[in-house]
Amino acid sequence: MPRYFPANSLESPRFTGVRTFMRLPFVQTTADVDFAVLGAPFDTGATFRVGARFGPEAIRSMSAMLRPYHLALDVKIFDHLSGVDYGDAPVVPGFIEDSYRKIDEFLQPLHTAGVTPIVLGGDHSIVLAELRAAARKHGPLGLVQFDAHGDVWDEYFGHKYTHGTPIRRAMEEGLLDGRRVVQVGMRGPLYEPHDIQQARDFGFTVLVADDVRALGLAGVVQAIREVVGTRPTFLSFDIDFIDPAYAPGTGTPEVGGFTSAEAQQLLRGLTGIHFVAYDVAEVLPSYDNAGQSTALLAANVAWEMIALLAWKRKNIKLQR
Amino acid sequence: MPRYFPANSLESPRFTGVRTFMRLPFVQTTADVDFAVLGAPFDTGATFRVGARFGPEAIRSMSAMLRPYHLALDVKIFDHLSGVDYGDAPVVPGFIEDSYRKIDEFLQPLHTAGVTPIVLGGDHSIVLAELRAAARKHGPLGLVQFDAHGDVWDEYFGHKYTHGTPIRRAMEEGLLDGRRVVQVGMRGPLYEPHDIQQARDFGFTVLVADDVRALGLAGVVQAIREVVGTRPTFLSFDIDFIDPAYAPGTGTPEVGGFTSAEAQQLLRGLTGIHFVAYDVAEVLPSYDNAGQSTALLAANVAWEMIALLAWKRKNIKLQR
Amino acid sequence: MPRYFPANSLESPRFTGVRTFMRLPFVQTTADVDFAVLGAPFDTGATFRVGARFGPEAIRSMSAMLRPYHLALDVKIFDHLSGVDYGDAPVVPGFIEDSYRKIDEFLQPLHTAGVTPIVLGGDHSIVLAELRAAARKHGPLGLVQFDAHGDVWDEYFGHKYTHGTPIRRAMEEGLLDGRRVVQVGMRGPLYEPHDIQQARDFGFTVLVADDVRALGLAGVVQAIREVVGTRPTFLSFDIDFIDPAYAPGTGTPEVGGFTSAEAQQLLRGLTGIHFVAYDVAEVLPSYDNAGQSTALLAANVAWEMIALLAWKRKNIKLQR
Amino acid sequence: MPRYFPANSLESPRFTGVRTFMRLPFVQTTADVDFAVLGAPFDTGATFRVGARFGPEAIRSMSAMLRPYHLALDVKIFDHLSGVDYGDAPVVPGFIEDSYRKIDEFLQPLHTAGVTPIVLGGDHSIVLAELRAAARKHGPLGLVQFDAHGDVWDEYFGHKYTHGTPIRRAMEEGLLDGRRVVQVGMRGPLYEPHDIQQARDFGFTVLVADDVRALGLAGVVQAIREVVGTRPTFLSFDIDFIDPAYAPGTGTPEVGGFTSAEAQQLLRGLTGIHFVAYDVAEVLPSYDNAGQSTALLAANVAWEMIALLAWKRKNIKLQR
Amino acid sequence: MPRYFPANSLESPRFTGVRTFMRLPFVQTTADVDFAVLGAPFDTGATFRVGARFGPEAIRSMSAMLRPYHLALDVKIFDHLSGVDYGDAPVVPGFIEDSYRKIDEFLQPLHTAGVTPIVLGGDHSIVLAELRAAARKHGPLGLVQFDAHGDVWDEYFGHKYTHGTPIRRAMEEGLLDGRRVVQVGMRGPLYEPHDIQQARDFGFTVLVADDVRALGLAGVVQAIREVVGTRPTFLSFDIDFIDPAYAPGTGTPEVGGFTSAEAQQLLRGLTGIHFVAYDVAEVLPSYDNAGQSTALLAANVAWEMIALLAWKRKNIKLQR
Amino acid sequence: MPRYFPANSLESPRFTGVRTFMRLPFVQTTADVDFAVLGAPFDTGATFRVGARFGPEAIRSMSAMLRPYHLALDVKIFDHLSGVDYGDAPVVPGFIEDSYRKIDEFLQPLHTAGVTPIVLGGDHSIVLAELRAAARKHGPLGLVQFDAHGDVWDEYFGHKYTHGTPIRRAMEEGLLDGRRVVQVGMRGPLYEPHDIQQARDFGFTVLVADDVRALGLAGVVQAIREVVGTRPTFLSFDIDFIDPAYAPGTGTPEVGGFTSAEAQQLLRGLTGIHFVAYDVAEVLPSYDNAGQSTALLAANVAWEMIALLAWKRKNIKLQR
């Protein structure tokens, strides 16, 4: 029995209680903790729609629907893991670099203690802060990025830090090992051919939406596994990877995207990869539908991440 | 020419008139009637979101868009059937067992007279009342259940009657023939492996979402036909079988679901099966989108059921 | 400095952190606590629209906007009070009497320890459980009820416990002193004249909406003070007291209601009354507007209640 | 006991059954009927927002909340009146003059039989058809019009029939007695001074919003009574008379309007006037809020009209 | 460098400025212009839901998200084309034939000058006016129509001009070459078998939804190319071709439709066809979701059309 | 006849055309222009809800409903004024000081040419940039500020520039003459008594909501006129001055606010004051209702400002 696990929804209804992720206890500790879910309610990096600052609240709200057993991976999560809701990183709305610093600092104790962070965004600019925190511990990282946009633009409006630029910044700062980066799902109108070429010049493997359809899901999984190998890797999921029909509540929706079932299949294919940190970003509740489908989807993405972690604990005994 | 048929929407606009299902006459009779559409506006069985009590109203509203000819089955419904909107079963909000009793009684005259009921829910707990009414006439029934959840949990919060438990109760009451039950579409986080095993222990054929994808739609249809055979069968459709992108207005949405086109194909494969009653449940208008897509979808599901009935009348002459 | 007080929103943004009421600590203790805010997410008593089970979540969400100083009463709340978010009472959706029992039990330790509870509903049927808990400590109570409906009907659909009947049940159970009950704001179509007469026969002072307009706000305040006097009193605020333009997210809206400014003036007039418990009920987020104005209003109503308590501590030194 | 009266909502929940106005029987008869509520789901006359064709459905839906006793007028409606939901007038979307003809014809049997029609719009252009039907029986009518706009413009886009012109057309056709016409509530930006002067030149009494505030509600009531006197009069209520805060779901909202309580007071002051027909128009559900406050308000306006009729039956014995 | 091209969204944020299509200059000229995007905000032809008059505004709003490079077709649009937002055609709400005349006249200078029009609807009845304008220049046209409905009904409510009849009218007026017409995507309940047969009798190739699924997307593209050949052709896209999950904001949604990715693949297959005019119709913003996904999708459809035009300029040098 | 004036909505429907403010021409010139409406779509200064960057678009959209004659002031605006939509100031989302600089520069040519700017926000932090631009021309300004918050906090989260601090910054920069500043409408929970005292220490006249109610509207108008006198003055209107029932689409709503009619009366009382610039801020469309009442209200506020300008031209002949 782990130290920290969710309230039982067969005993107390899921709509009761202060909303924490998956009804986990809200405790800011690293002792006896395997994973920590935390919010990064920051959206000053957004270049079009804003409001991702309310993303963590919405994802927590819908995460009450999550249950502890993962059928496809056949894993009872809390037989293997202890987890907490670690609260939100401090952020300073309107001030990007300040916020990066605070998010980075907030993540340090987790990495130090070997607790895997699962960050709920926030706009995708936050991934730079997360990569800084993770790379300080693990060195240059591999990256699996599901996203409609590569986020490798150089600047927006003459500025370096926005939600369209973090991956480029991360390369410049040496946080990523370009040959171990794979970007999946890019689509939509581009500014110019360079938008994709850029990433390839960094050594990234870029699988645009048409590539994904050509390879098939199993092919994509295979490609990802080959690119990232066995070394420490970051898994970043921008919810706009999924089509706006499934995820309308996002900041830069692009039509022609993927279904939630396809996303699940991709994530479930990533068992055993050495992920050291995860995030799911770009949920904007004020654009979500009445049923909050986008937040529910993001909660499920985070749950798949946790299940991957549990799977590894269950099946790779020596790992820790 | 049947006695009861819809208003002609080429003559009077579909947005006129008191809303009945498919613009059928609202008559509470069994004389000269082949099928009766009725509401069961009950939602006290819901364990998470509530509001299915307004489901029948919303489905009726959107059903004004239905027209009488089914292209794929090549059947002009009202060449073969006479149908009415039979109104709503009396229910007692807040009192489950009382409501079951009243729904059951309300259905009796229909079964007695050989009128096929098509019930618009309401939360899925109502299926227990419907099964009681149908089994009293036909004995233990086969069941085709499209649903994201098996609804075979034993109890919720220490209570036996909720929308998560009716199928188990039905087995305990002898209303179902377990070997003739097929459940299709289960997915989402579970409490434990037992959640699915339970149903298999009852003799059910359980095709979880991954099974459906592995078998293909034709394979699923084939499996269903084999399980239920030719004896009296109930067809129950929980709208959450379909993905929340298509059906956001529901109480317990689970991502990774099916499309409306897939649902149509499955339903259209069920021609000739001896269905004695139908329902479509778990439409919650207060969570639906502005276009009321979920209610429209549920109206179409009910329409597929009516078309199946018409197909049988057209193609299996001896049947009545 | 009190032991428990809110996070400072000039330091950490109001949209960060797990949502508790007014950003208070979530602690289930009675030690060093003056007031406790708690949810009663129950809505099985609702006879029309449902969904108040999500009321506490929504009110907590919007309560992040509250600040600690009350200008009109000139009171810095946390100079005088220590307060916590005490979480939600356990409830059993679908089972009224069970839920009453659990809510009552959950409130006992608070009353025993002299902690003033402020309950966030839930449908208004919960007030019966709250009155039971309060009367066990204090004996028959006075009541100030702001509401569009008197809630003294005898039964609905042949049943005794719904959100239209709790005040009558409370009289029958001896929880209220009828001469010390004042109901304010009744309006809307009625079933019959008896609907109001009933309450007057119990000895209640009933100020229907037209009476309020005739008396003026100061006159109403004066009348309330005279009726309830100095003995222990319960303050219950059904959000439908306020017009649906201001509070659309409620279960039984009645047009022709009061403004939020009028409600504030009435509440601010009640300084010094010996209130032993408070609630604010009938917030249904699924019917609220995008700006969640109803939840914001309910959060402000609860804040006025806390401010009344603080005012008493500041100005009536001997009281505790 | 009247022949036709509503279902009892203390016995069967208000959310059950096919939606008719106020849960009245849906019967197209004039025998034993005092008033008939009917829809005119037409909106081709709208010059800005459209969608009033769904107004009758929405008003019927929310009218389930109405109860039979009117406290302020002290009248039990169905002690004095028998009423039905008469369904919807046939209309031809896209064809104004055709629709006028059909609405007019649909109303004839009611006027002939002395049944008072209460029409649910539809855009306000329909009032011309209604006036034609009423004037054919009663001769030139008095008119009490609550509205943000006078609707006396000559033409829009070179055409004579829109929702901005019906009152002028009615004058030209001799359906109104200009000296017995009173328009109340005009406000908002105008095209030119002539917009108001026009109406005054017809002999109308025009009380713009500022006049209403200057006179006070009692003064307005007095003025109306003086203008219309005792002869046959039409009461037309455009929901945009009320401020968009209370009635957002309308086609041409104008800020600075009246509250629902003010509207109630005005209507309640009109007891005893010889109204021969009523309507409430311009409800656009697709612009209403989630709580459907506008439709609820319109249902209440219609209910006030019915109560005025009942009051007259109760208090003026000889009248029929 | 073309004369007219969009504002650069890497320099000025996409949410700034008066909303024109794709941030193109708003200029009503044909000089130095290759394509012109214009609105036809007309919806009097709608037989069910209305509000497409606000379609052009919504599509323009979301088109701010479009960027100038098309990856799949590998074309930088403004290397090959100069384009403007040409404003809206004058229309007369409530008057169909008048509006047809005005739209037709508004399009004349464009066809005369060889500027390709891309019309944003409006309900689909406008296509008749557009076909008149295009056929006057080019003679009887080929037509590629993506749509859930064939729009070849004879009349609605006894009238000839509605959004269900324009294609039939166009045949009767000799604007189309029936053998060069292909309709793709018809589905949903029909009135009778004749609904489809009608079109086939005109010589049309009709690929109903089931045909599309049987042929596969490549097969459909092949069929279209064969039918329309190399002569002047019109491309009309009714947004209800796409499933309501992706395009909820439309007037006559039909479940079981296509995804946005499928639509993209079909459109991208039509390179090189001699399209002389395009439209995208039936976007109803008041039924769209908060994220305005339908408008975004329609903007992308228009963008695919522009890219087809650019592809032709890039790859077929002799064409102009 | 002025050079620039709106399209005539009796000739072309208000829902046609590219959306400019009040259907004015979109021209970036100062020649022959009296007033210019422009957007400042900036919201990085927001400390709670974000999204005001879409405010100008929404206000422009709803401003199509404005007409040119002001009845209460009896002024035909375009008999006296020529006006344009001047487009949006360039802003840099995420970078406050940069954006201030750009807004300031964008306003310079207007002030230089004597064109009165009417700025549509944007969060209220933009007022600092506007004051800089206006004070450069006119010296320290008087200020009439309608607002729920004084915006004189010193800092938020350790930073100086947010939407809670601009008025304090303006004092520090010498842009305001403190004795000629009047703030009207402050209400809601405060951090501490100092929040109001601060402003008074600057010499401001602060009329909190209770003061407004005590003085009456005429008293407030009188007080404003006395404070600002005849010298150059800025009029800034934060839409949250008005109650969230009327203006739900705003960033920091406070209950207990004013009605739109009260706001109109206050604005109409300010005739003749020497206003040199105006703004209306804090409209957040993603929190507005379906009817966009908040944007409509803001459009009306801007229209009152324009009418004040026209009134002055009409009645004070020597002024320019």
Side-chain angles (χ1 to χ4, degrees), chain C residues 208-231:
Chain C
V208 303
D210 283 349
D211 297 330
V212 173
R213 295 206 165 90
L215 282 172
L217 299 179
V220 172
V221 164
Q222 177 65 11
I224 292 171
R225 302 183 78 97
E226 282 168 14
V227 170
V228 301
T230 58
R231 306 234 306 285

Side-chain angles (χ1 to χ4, degrees), chain E residues 114-131:
Chain E
V115 176
T116 306
I118 296 162
V119 175
L120 313 174
D123 73 53
H124 213 176
S125 74
I126 57 166
V127 75
L128 182 56
E130 297 173 65
L131 287 168

